[in-house]
Amino acid sequence: MRYPPHLLDEIRARLPVSSVVGRKVRLKKAGREWRGLSPFNAEKTPSFYANDQKGFYHDFSSGKHGDIFTFLMETEGLSFPEAVERLAAEAGVDLPKPTPELERAVERRRDLYDVLEMACRFFEKQLALPAGQKALAYLDGRGITAETRREFRMGYAPDARTALFDHLRSEGVERDLILRAGLAIEPDDGRSLYDRFRGRVIIPIQDMRGRVVAFGGRALAPDQQPKYLNSPETELFRKGEIVFNFHRARQPAHEANSAIVVEGYLDAVSVYQAGIRNVVATLGTAFTEEQIALLWRLAPEPVICFDGDRAGRNAAFRAVDRIVPALKTGFTFRFAFLPPGQDPDDAVRQAGPDAFRAILDEAKSFWDVIWLRETEAARLDSENGQAVFEKRIREVVGQIADPTLRRRYELTARLQVSDYLWRLSKRQVQSRLREGVAMPALPNFFSGEPTRLIGLERVFLGMCVHYPDLVEQHRDRIASMNFRGEHAGTPFSSFVSDLLRVVDEEDVREFRAFYLRLSPGFSPTLDFLHGHAVEIGGQEILPWGYNLFARFPVLQSPVPERFIEECFSNFMELLWLRDLEDELKTGVEEMPADPDDSYSLWLVHLQHDILEMRERVLRKELELAEEATLYRSVGRGLAVAADPRGMFRQLGQDRLEAPRAVA
């Protein structure tokens, strides 16, 4: 029997080629396609390709090519009806029984296509007539060129009651067929029939094969309502199952491995005209399961473009709820937000296509938009509010049907929620502890900024030189740390290795031993991190360790040995914390597609360790900062300036004495 084309399209949309072919061919991802050994010929080098976006496979060894139905016919010897029946059952699509009525329905649909094509040609012709000048002026005002008008088959519906109806009747089209095509309206009160589209710019809406199935009309009169009018749902047109411009965008989206989704068809036309051909529109509807499947046929991660104002953000948040249950491994969405007051048409016309592409490049991930929505709505100033926030995140993630993807999202959510609430708590603790406390002299290295932590490395390594007994106490921990900085091309990690070599080989009791025992190549780095004493005319104008003192000024004041030891330990903890955070980040980035419980548990425990260490380091840092303020207030107030270039200057009459080594 003959199956309706829309039914076959629905089966294809629900069953990617790779899933059907993958039962017989071991496929591996190759760019935007899947590759494997030919099921038709014996071969050692893969020459068989499947493409989910195009919906076809191609075997270069045999020249065979087709869709999912063809593949079953070729590999299992099924007839076309048998292949359709099997795949329809897998896709959950109900097949109509082969009856004379079905055959007549297919014929009726064919008649509808013909009527809609006739109507499209009528509208196109009207745009070129004098009556269509107002519509042409509107399109010119929006910058839509004649070439674009022709490509999208734009037209004009005359501002007359029955212009289209009369034309179609003159061509022999039956009255009932015009009504079924959604081109005319018959009032229930007995008034005469009239055209649905009157006095409007007309944009044809086409299906995946490029056939006209409906129309969209844009009002020209300021008081004409609604501004945009679509065809009603018919046997050929269901708004929630159509994506505008799909047939034109399919190939460009495949080549770019990306698709852009806008709300209105005129926005899609403007973006397409600007040279961004992989653009489609959803006709202003909320996302449906069918549209989501169609968009994933274009690309695995389409970018949905929203206005940047509150209405646009709310629209994005509503889209999240529609998409979450449909998410599956390898397929997601991103969200691009335009500047407030702009739509895609404004963006490409005013700022240009490159600026629009830059906005698309900054699109937020699906998880980022979930997080943005939930954090904006949350009330986190109480324990109850935080508990509600955690519960809401779990509920959203729990809606993901794909078990593998759901586990990954659950793990990401657990880690990010814990980190977020800890940081919130940290800010509250800092606010309470610092209330009424003067600005501390101890540098605040806990900011987490890479440049600040490199500065902390310099202070810490300067202290390693000045207090070798502390290095000996913490030798193994220091050896396992990952130092990132360098000086004059010498990595700090290499310097530390040689420093530890000296500690292991020598009984180092004070810092001068390093100046004698380190390999000569590390002398510039040693001087940069610590500082060789400088004398002029027998007078020491810069003391030993002057670079360390300049970076960590509290050491210029009389401080107890306990304070030095605690600062050293706290700095070491900060650098160790950075290494743990990097380990966690790498663990999340390299997480297997389907992590087992032990892997997930390791990440969770690692994050708990990080949170506990952050809390401990933060509290200690605040204590040390307050204590350092007291030491500076009773010190002599001398200032040593670090001068790594070796250009020294007289600092004053008083000579600074280096702190004594810790016994």
Side-chain angles (χ1 to χ4, degrees), residues 5 69 95 102 104 112 151 210 233 235 238 260 275 306 319 367 379 389 396 421 464 523 530 538 553 563 611 661-662:
F69 305 109
L95 291 178
L102 176 61
R104 286 194 294 270
L112 285 176
E151 182 166 2
E233 296 208 343
E235 296 170 56
R238 293 180 176 83
I260 296 101
F306 292 97
W367 169 252
R379 301 184 63 178
F389 168 67
V396 173
L421 294 180
C464 286
S523 294
H530 184 251
F563 177 78
L611 295 177
V662 179

Side-chain angles (χ1 to χ4, degrees), residues 383-442:
E383 294 293 333
N384 185 64
Q386 293 176 13
V388 171
F389 168 67
E390 290 188 74
K391 181 175 182 289
R392 175 60 185 161
I393 290 284
R394 287 197 303 270
E395 289 174 346
V396 173
V397 172
Q399 296 175 37
I400 300 173
D402 184 311
T404 300
L405 190 63
R406 185 175 62 251
R407 283 194 293 271
R408 288 185 64 92
Y409 268 75
E410 286 172 343
L411 180 58
T412 298
R414 289 173 65 187
L415 296 175
Q416 192 158 327
V417 167
S418 296
D419 184 74
Y420 182 73
L421 294 180
W422 181 88
R423 290 179 184 276
L424 180 65
S425 175
K426 182 190 81 169
R427 289 194 295 270
Q428 294 169 347
V429 169
Q430 285 179 315
S431 177
R432 289 195 301 268
L433 291 180
R434 285 179 171 163
E435 186 174 344
V437 178
M439 184 64 66
L442 186 67

Side-chain angles (χ1 to χ4, degrees), residues 546-564:
Y546 67 88
N547 271 331
L548 168 63
F549 305 152
R551 294 189 182 105
F552 195 20
V554 72
L555 294 182
Q556 299 178 38
S557 303
V559 293
E561 295 176 357
R562 173 200 53 77
F563 177 78
I564 293 173

Side-chain angles (χ1 to χ4, degrees), residues 399-641:
Q399 296 175 37
I400 300 173
D402 184 311
T404 300
L405 190 63
R406 185 175 62 251
R407 283 194 293 271
R408 288 185 64 92
Y409 268 75
E410 286 172 343
L411 180 58
T412 298
R414 289 173 65 187
L415 296 175
Q416 192 158 327
V417 167
S418 296
D419 184 74
Y420 182 73
L421 294 180
W422 181 88
R423 290 179 184 276
L424 180 65
S425 175
K426 182 190 81 169
R427 289 194 295 270
Q428 294 169 347
V429 169
Q430 285 179 315
S431 177
R432 289 195 301 268
L433 291 180
R434 285 179 171 163
E435 186 174 344
V437 178
M439 184 64 66
L442 186 67
N444 180 9
F445 292 107
F446 193 76
S447 65
E449 299 172 11
T451 54
R452 297 293 298 276
L453 287 175
I454 293 297
L456 178 59
E457 285 187 359
R458 296 170 181 173
V459 172
F460 179 73
L461 294 179
M463 294 183 74
C464 286
V465 172
H466 208 81
Y467 307 110
D469 55 321
L470 294 178
V471 176
E472 189 172 358
Q473 292 176 32
H474 302 283
R475 192 255 179 230
D476 292 340
R477 170 66 70 87
I478 295 172
S480 65
M481 292 166 64
N482 182 19
F483 294 94
R484 323 292 171 79
E486 64 172 39
H487 172 255
T490 298
F492 288 168
S493 56
S494 300
F495 173 83
V496 170
S497 296
D498 204 51
L499 191 80
L500 295 176
R501 175 191 62 80
V502 174
V503 170
D504 292 340
E505 294 177 355
E506 306 279 345
D507 183 17
V508 180
R509 290 298 176 186
E510 60 102 30
F511 57 81
R512 290 178 180 81
F514 290 122
Y515 284 86
L516 298 173
R517 304 301 183 191
L518 280 176
S519 300
F522 292 111
S523 294
T525 303
L526 175 62
D527 196 49
F528 172 74
L529 294 172
H530 184 251
H532 193 289
V534 176
E535 294 185 1
I536 296 180
Q539 182 181 6
E540 184 183 272
I541 65 166
L542 286 175
W544 287 99
Y546 67 88
N547 271 331
L548 168 63
F549 305 152
R551 294 189 182 105
F552 195 20
V554 72
L555 294 182
Q556 299 178 38
S557 303
V559 293
E561 295 176 357
R562 173 200 53 77
F563 177 78
I564 293 173
E565 292 173 349
E566 290 181 0
C567 286
F568 186 89
S569 296
N570 200 56
F571 292 166
M572 183 166 57
E573 289 269 270
L574 275 167
L575 295 173
W576 184 252
L577 175 61
R578 179 182 62 178
D579 291 347
L580 292 181
E581 289 174 335
D582 284 349
E583 184 179 352
L584 177 63
K585 180 181 178 182
T586 301
V588 172
E589 291 174 348
E590 298 180 356
M591 189 190 310
D594 189 10
D596 57 25
D597 291 341
S598 62
Y599 192 96
S600 301
L601 195 61
W602 166 67
L603 287 180
V604 171
H605 285 170
L606 178 58
Q607 194 202 34
H608 286 169
D609 291 343
I610 289 172
L611 295 177
E612 290 177 2
M613 182 178 287
R614 282 181 184 171
E615 181 73 24
R616 183 172 65 250
V617 169
L618 169 65
R619 290 185 177 277
K620 192 63 181 178
E621 180 189 20
L622 293 173
E623 292 174 7
L624 293 173
E626 187 173 359
E627 187 176 352
T629 304
L630 298 176
Y631 297 142
R632 289 298 302 272
S633 67
V634 298
R636 288 177 293 172
L638 298 177
V640 174

Side-chain angles (χ1 to χ4, degrees), residues 130-179:
Q133 291 306 301
K134 188 175 181 180
L136 275 177
Y138 170 79
L139 294 172
D140 288 340
R142 293 195 62 142
I144 297 176
T145 66
E147 180 182 355
T148 300
R149 294 197 295 267
R150 287 191 297 271
E151 182 166 2
F152 282 84
R153 304 190 65 185
M154 293 184 178
Y156 171 65
D159 193 10
R161 187 173 179 84
T162 58
L164 175 62
F165 178 79
D166 293 341
H167 168 74
L168 294 175
R169 290 293 288 138
S170 70
E171 295 290 328
V173 180
E174 295 179 2
R175 181 177 185 278
D176 180 63
L177 200 54
I178 298 172
L179 288 168

Side-chain angles (χ1 to χ4, degrees), residues 20-72:
V20 176
V21 169
R23 300 166 195 159
K24 293 186 176 295
V25 180
R26 180 174 295 179
L27 297 173
K28 290 186 178 181
K29 193 70 172 174
R32 295 187 292 270
E33 298 180 312
W34 296 87
R35 183 174 62 184
L37 297 174
S38 170
F40 307 112
N41 292 317
E43 62 177 10
K44 295 182 179 180
T45 302
S47 66
F48 181 93
Y49 289 81
N51 189 303
D52 287 334
Q53 279 71 44
K54 291 184 176 180
F56 288 96
Y57 67 86
H58 186 81
D59 179 32
F60 287 91
S61 69
S62 64
K64 292 183 177 181
H65 175 89
D67 62 5
I68 54 177
F69 305 109
T70 311
F71 186 78
L72 288 191

